[in-house]
Amino acid sequence: PAGKGCVRSCWGWVRSRAMRKEFETACEIVQAAADVGGLQLGTESLRDGLGIAHVVYHWVNSRGERFGAGTYSQAWVDRYLERDYLRMDPVILGCLQRFDPVDWKELDWSARTARAMLQEAVEFGVGPQGYSIPLRGPAGQFALFTTSDGCDDVAWSRFIAENQRDLILTAHEFNRKAL
């Protein structure tokens, strides 16, 4: 799936009936999810339905317990944890301070460690483009729903403009299921 969205973006991310059906199927999988395995299947189906590289849902409660479902490679997840990027990740830090969705281009990547993390993320196939939706729960839970890809800035902006509403609704459905 990596790059699949970029090819589609050349045609303006026009949703064919087949793409729409894939997306609707992914939403049904998320709605039917009864456990983390169901949410994992939902991220994979959604990624394929949107034609992008990655979809990730990551949740942390007030006690610091974490859980997630997503399509990042295990190698990237291991590297992220090994380097303790959670403490300095501009996506996490930026989304903790806001309630509205954010394109990663709007975040502060000026620190050398942040730039190094982004470079590694690209090398591990995460892609330089990202869109994260911060979510909150009733007992102090914090979650992020993130999509990412390796396409260019114009294609990514078009993707976000055309899919923002669906992404926000889907993010809230993931969060509802996780809570």
Side-chain angles (χ1 to χ4, degrees), residues 35-126:
D35 57 20
V36 70
L39 291 177
Q40 178 62 36
L41 185 58
T43 63
E44 295 164 6
S45 182
L46 191 58
R47 172 203 58 201
D48 296 345
L50 290 168
I52 57 176
H54 295 289
V55 171
V56 175
Y57 173 80
H58 181 239
W59 174 86
V60 180
N61 70 16
S62 59
R63 294 182 302 277
E65 298 168 330
R66 293 180 279 172
F67 129 102
T71 62
Y72 291 154
S73 70
Q74 189 60 51
W76 170 244
V77 172
D78 292 345
R79 182 65 166 189
Y80 187 92
L81 295 173
E82 170 192 315
R83 293 281 180 128
D84 201 22
Y85 283 145
L86 185 65
R87 293 185 183 276
M88 54 71 53
D89 185 339
V91 176
I92 302 283
L93 298 176
C95 287
L96 278 169
Q97 300 172 16
R98 55 178 77 205
F99 289 92
D100 55 324
V102 62
D103 187 316
W104 291 358
K105 298 268 186 264
E106 299 171 19
L107 298 170
D108 181 6
W109 296 94
S110 61
R112 185 172 47 113
T113 54
R115 290 190 310 273
M117 185 199 85
L118 182 59
Q119 181 59 42
E120 277 198 271
V122 170
E123 291 168 7
F124 277 84
V126 172

Side-chain angles (χ1 to χ4, degrees), residues 8-14 152-164:
R8 286 186 182 148
S9 70
C10 294
W11 295 293
W13 290 89
V14 175
D152 63 44
D153 291 351
V154 172
W156 190 249
S157 292
R158 190 175 308 134
F159 170 77
I160 296 305
E162 294 180 10
N163 293 285
Q164 183 176 33

Side-chain angles (χ1 to χ4, degrees), residues 137-159:
Q141 300 95 340
F142 171 73
L144 281 181
F145 180 83
T146 296
T147 55
S148 69
D149 199 76
C151 60
D152 63 44
D153 291 351
V154 172
W156 190 249
S157 292
R158 190 175 308 134
F159 170 77

